[in-house]
Amino acid sequence: MVNGIERPLDLLNSSKGKEVLVQLKGDKQFVGTLIAFDIHPNLVLDNAKEMQDGEIKKNIGLTFLRGDVIVFISPASTALK
Amino acid sequence: MVNGIERPLDLLNSSKGKEVLVQLKGDKQFVGTLIAFDIHPNLVLDNAKEMQDGEIKKNIGLTFLRGDVIVFISPASTALK
Amino acid sequence: MVNGIERPLDLLNSSKGKEVLVQLKGDKQFVGTLIAFDIHPNLVLDNAKEMQDGEIKKNIGLTFLRGDVIVFISPASTALK
Amino acid sequence: MVNGIERPLDLLNSSKGKEVLVQLKGDKQFVGTLIAFDIHPNLVLDNAKEMQDGEIKKNIGLTFLRGDVIVFISPASTALK
Amino acid sequence: MVNGIERPLDLLNSSKGKEVLVQLKGDKQFVGTLIAFDIHPNLVLDNAKEMQDGEIKKNIGLTFLRGDVIVFISPASTALK
Amino acid sequence: MVNGIERPLDLLNSSKGKEVLVQLKGDKQFVGTLIAFDIHPNLVLDNAKEMQDGEIKKNIGLTFLRGDVIVFISPASTALK
Amino acid sequence: MVNGIERPLDLLNSSKGKEVLVQLKGDKQFVGTLIAFDIHPNLVLDNAKEMQDGEIKKNIGLTFLRGDVIVFISPASTALK
């Protein structure tokens, strides 16, 4: 997946429609399908689930996440294997 | 609802007039009808209620929420089912 | 009051001259008459009172509140009923 | 004093040369004569005194206060009566 | 490696394709191959591992790290010897 | 010294070459001769000393202080009398 | 060294190639040779060492330090004598 990543947002672009793991400040994590992003990057996730210690804590469904609270975003295929 | 979401704010646009769940930094939650938003995104909610552990803590009514304090915004139809 | 609110600041505009409840970060609350606001939104309140647990803690009178410290702003007619 | 306040900074303009109470983040308070301000608003106070629980804690004299640390600014005539 | 570093981002440019150590605010560390960066600097790391006390805590794989949470970035060849 | 202060930075300009007291967020204080400043305001102090409870804790000498960490800046002639 | 410092960044410019002490928010300190800086100021240090209580805690080598986490920067010749 590294091929074609010239700028950081290219990774988000190639992750559209796929499951991502999003780490927030203060230890919350979300897993969900990346639907949209912008430069902050604010995200829209579908089928979002709040995770804690690798377990699903809450189903959130469709959600808008503010970029300001994000630490990292990883394709779930590499982060959750 | 995912159809037609190209940018994150499209989710807010398609949620206008509907009930949303808003998670704030520091664990406060609001539920209310989304009336208006801007790019920060600052929100106006109607019939807003402050929630704690899934229970209504306080009725706020009509309210302007500063975008800076928001973690995520979800349509209540998916987040509260 | 929802009629005519297209953008979040429209709620503040329609609240000018009326009593508002302002929640600050860190749990302080102010109640006062909204005199002026800008895009941050910084506010000027008249007859401002600092509140704690629904009780008046201190009379501040006329005050300039920095937008950066604000969580939400509600018309007192809906938030304090 | 409310007459003629169209924008929040108008209150600071009409307070020039008068005593103001400035509440900082983290509970420090200053009382002093407002000499100058800008849009942040950074302030210059003369005869500034650091206050705690309504008592003078320290005389600072002439001081430049960074706007970023300010919660609210009030004319002392209304805030300290 | 110091030769040719005129501006801070030049160090990141010369570290592309190499392993870097990234210190985050709040004591988390990442080690991974630097794939891309921008001016914030947001980073993309490949084969990223979360470290604690010099031990691998978690394999993250490919990841987008927000610049806002970063304290320092060092070539692993100098930081981990 | 109040004469001629139209904008907050005018106080810093008239303090160049003189001793100032700089209060940082988190209770550190510096005393030193103000050499230069910009609009943030970042400062350069000469003969800077870190103070605690009115005692010199450490000699720093010449130093660049980031404006972002500053609470207030006062001419030492008025703040330390 | 004070001669020729008109603006704060002039001190960093005259410190290029020399050892500097960098104080970070949250009490970490770095000592290293200043290689490059920009307006934030982000820094590149060579032979960087993390210090605690005047002792070397860790050798980092070449490092990119984000300006956002910096409190002050001093020439080591004046700060560590």
Side-chain angles (χ1 to χ4, degrees):
Chain A
M1 275 186 82
V2 168
N3 292 337
I5 299 181
E6 298 286 328
R7 290 156 304 180
L9 293 178
D10 292 342
L11 174 56
L12 300 190
N13 204 40
S14 70
S15 299
K16 268 181 149 177
K18 297 180 188 156
E19 200 170 42
V20 293
L21 171 73
V22 184
Q23 174 72 50
L24 304 192
K25 294 177 187 171
D27 274 325
K28 274 187 185 162
Q29 285 189 326
F30 279 82
V31 173
T33 306
L34 182 64
I35 303 299
F37 65 91
D38 59 24
I39 58 162
H40 299 294
N42 298 314
L43 308 181
V44 170
L45 299 183
D46 196 16
N47 297 317
K49 292 158 203 65
E50 202 181 318
M51 309 290 288
Q52 207 160 42
D53 306 317
E55 312 253 316
I56 296 173
K57 206 182 129 190
K58 209 158 105 182
N59 282 291
I60 306 287
L62 196 58
T63 196
F64 172 100
L65 262 174
R66 275 188 78 241
D68 171 48
V69 298
I70 294 175
V71 176
F72 70 79
I73 306 164
S74 290
S77 60
T78 74
L80 296 178
K81 33 168 208 203
Chain B
M1 276 185 82
V2 168
N3 292 337
I5 300 181
E6 298 286 327
R7 291 156 303 180
L9 293 177
D10 292 342
L11 174 57
L12 301 190
N13 205 39
S14 69
S15 299
K16 268 180 149 178
K18 296 178 188 156
E19 200 170 43
V20 292
L21 170 73
V22 184
Q23 175 72 50
L24 305 191
K25 295 176 185 172
D27 274 326
K28 273 188 186 162
Q29 285 189 325
F30 279 82
V31 173
T33 305
L34 182 63
I35 303 299
F37 66 91
D38 59 24
I39 57 162
H40 299 294
N42 298 313
L43 308 181
V44 170
L45 300 183
D46 196 15
N47 296 315
K49 294 158 201 67
E50 202 181 318
M51 309 290 289
Q52 207 160 42
D53 307 317
E55 313 254 316
I56 296 174
K57 206 183 128 189
K58 209 158 106 183
N59 282 290
I60 307 287
L62 196 57
T63 196
F64 172 100
L65 262 173
R66 274 188 77 241
D68 172 48
V69 298
I70 293 175
V71 177
F72 69 80
I73 307 164
S74 291
S77 60
T78 74
L80 296 178
K81 26 165 214 205
Chain C
M1 276 185 83
V2 168
N3 292 337
I5 299 181
E6 298 286 327
R7 291 156 303 179
L9 293 177
D10 292 343
L11 174 57
L12 301 190
N13 204 41
S14 70
S15 299
K16 269 181 148 177
K18 296 178 187 156
E19 199 170 44
V20 291
L21 170 73
V22 184
Q23 174 72 50
L24 304 191
K25 295 176 186 172
D27 274 325
K28 274 188 185 162
Q29 285 189 325
F30 279 82
V31 173
T33 306
L34 182 63
I35 302 300
F37 66 91
D38 60 23
I39 57 163
H40 299 294
N42 298 314
L43 307 181
V44 170
L45 299 183
D46 196 16
N47 297 316
K49 294 158 202 66
E50 203 182 317
M51 308 290 288
Q52 206 160 43
D53 306 318
E55 312 255 316
I56 296 173
K57 205 182 129 190
K58 209 159 107 182
N59 282 289
I60 307 287
L62 197 56
T63 196
F64 172 101
L65 261 173
R66 275 188 76 241
D68 171 49
V69 299
I70 294 174
V71 176
F72 70 79
I73 306 163
S74 292
S77 60
T78 74
L80 295 177
K81 47 180 190 190
Chain D
M1 275 185 82
V2 168
N3 292 338
I5 299 182
E6 298 285 328
R7 291 156 303 178
L9 294 177
D10 292 343
L11 174 57
L12 301 191
N13 204 41
S14 69
S15 299
K16 270 180 148 177
K18 297 179 186 154
E19 199 170 43
V20 292
L21 170 73
V22 184
Q23 174 71 50
L24 304 191
K25 294 176 186 172
D27 274 325
K28 273 188 185 163
Q29 284 189 325
F30 279 82
V31 173
T33 306
L34 183 63
I35 303 300
F37 65 91
D38 59 24
I39 58 164
H40 299 294
N42 298 314
L43 308 181
V44 170
L45 299 183
D46 196 16
N47 297 316
K49 293 158 202 66
E50 202 182 317
M51 309 289 288
Q52 206 161 42
D53 305 317
E55 312 254 316
I56 296 174
K57 205 183 129 190
K58 209 158 107 183
N59 282 290
I60 307 287
L62 195 57
T63 197
F64 172 100
L65 261 174
R66 275 187 77 242
D68 171 49
V69 299
I70 294 175
V71 176
F72 70 79
I73 307 163
S74 291
S77 60
T78 73
L80 296 178
K81 34 170 205 199
Chain E
M1 274 186 84
V2 167
N3 292 338
I5 299 181
E6 298 287 327
R7 290 155 303 178
L9 293 177
D10 292 343
L11 174 56
L12 301 191
N13 205 40
S14 70
S15 299
K16 268 181 150 178
K18 296 179 187 154
E19 200 170 42
V20 292
L21 171 73
V22 184
Q23 174 72 50
L24 305 191
K25 294 177 186 171
D27 274 325
K28 274 187 185 162
Q29 284 190 325
F30 279 81
V31 173
T33 306
L34 182 63
I35 303 298
F37 66 91
D38 59 25
I39 58 163
H40 300 294
N42 298 314
L43 307 181
V44 170
L45 299 183
D46 196 16
N47 297 317
K49 294 158 202 64
E50 202 181 317
M51 309 290 288
Q52 207 160 43
D53 305 317
E55 312 254 315
I56 297 174
K57 206 183 128 190
K58 209 158 107 183
N59 281 291
I60 306 287
L62 196 57
T63 197
F64 172 101
L65 262 173
R66 275 188 77 241
D68 171 48
V69 297
I70 294 175
V71 176
F72 69 79
I73 306 164
S74 291
S77 60
T78 73
L80 297 178
K81 36 171 205 202
Chain F
M1 276 185 80
V2 168
N3 292 338
I5 299 182
E6 298 285 327
R7 291 155 302 179
L9 293 178
D10 292 342
L11 174 56
L12 301 190
N13 204 40
S14 70
S15 299
K16 268 180 149 179
K18 296 179 187 154
E19 200 170 42
V20 291
L21 170 73
V22 184
Q23 174 72 49
L24 305 191
K25 295 176 186 172
D27 273 326
K28 273 187 185 163
Q29 285 190 326
F30 279 82
V31 173
T33 306
L34 183 63
I35 302 300
F37 66 91
D38 59 24
I39 57 163
H40 300 295
N42 299 314
L43 307 181
V44 170
L45 299 183
D46 196 16
N47 297 316
K49 295 159 201 66
E50 201 181 318
M51 309 290 287
Q52 206 161 42
D53 306 317
E55 311 256 316
I56 296 174
K57 204 183 130 190
K58 208 158 107 183
N59 281 290
I60 307 286
L62 196 57
T63 196
F64 172 100
L65 261 174
R66 276 187 77 240
D68 171 49
V69 299
I70 294 174
V71 176
F72 69 79
I73 307 164
S74 292
S77 60
T78 73
L80 297 178
K81 0 161 240 212
Chain G
M1 277 185 81
V2 167
N3 292 338
I5 299 181
E6 298 286 328
R7 290 155 303 179
L9 294 177
D10 292 343
L11 174 56
L12 301 190
N13 204 40
S14 70
S15 299
K16 267 180 150 178
K18 296 178 187 154
E19 200 170 42
V20 292
L21 170 73
V22 184
Q23 174 72 49
L24 304 191
K25 295 177 186 171
D27 273 325
K28 274 187 185 163
Q29 284 190 326
F30 279 81
V31 173
T33 306
L34 183 62
I35 303 298
F37 65 91
D38 59 24
I39 57 163
H40 300 294
N42 299 313
L43 308 181
V44 171
L45 300 183
D46 196 16
N47 296 317
K49 294 159 202 64
E50 203 182 317
M51 309 290 287
Q52 207 160 42
D53 305 317
E55 312 254 316
I56 297 174
K57 205 183 129 190
K58 208 158 108 182
N59 281 290
I60 307 287
L62 196 57
T63 196
F64 172 100
L65 262 174
R66 275 188 76 240
D68 171 48
V69 298
I70 294 174
V71 176
F72 69 79
I73 307 164
S74 291
S77 60
T78 74
L80 297 177
K81 47 179 190 191

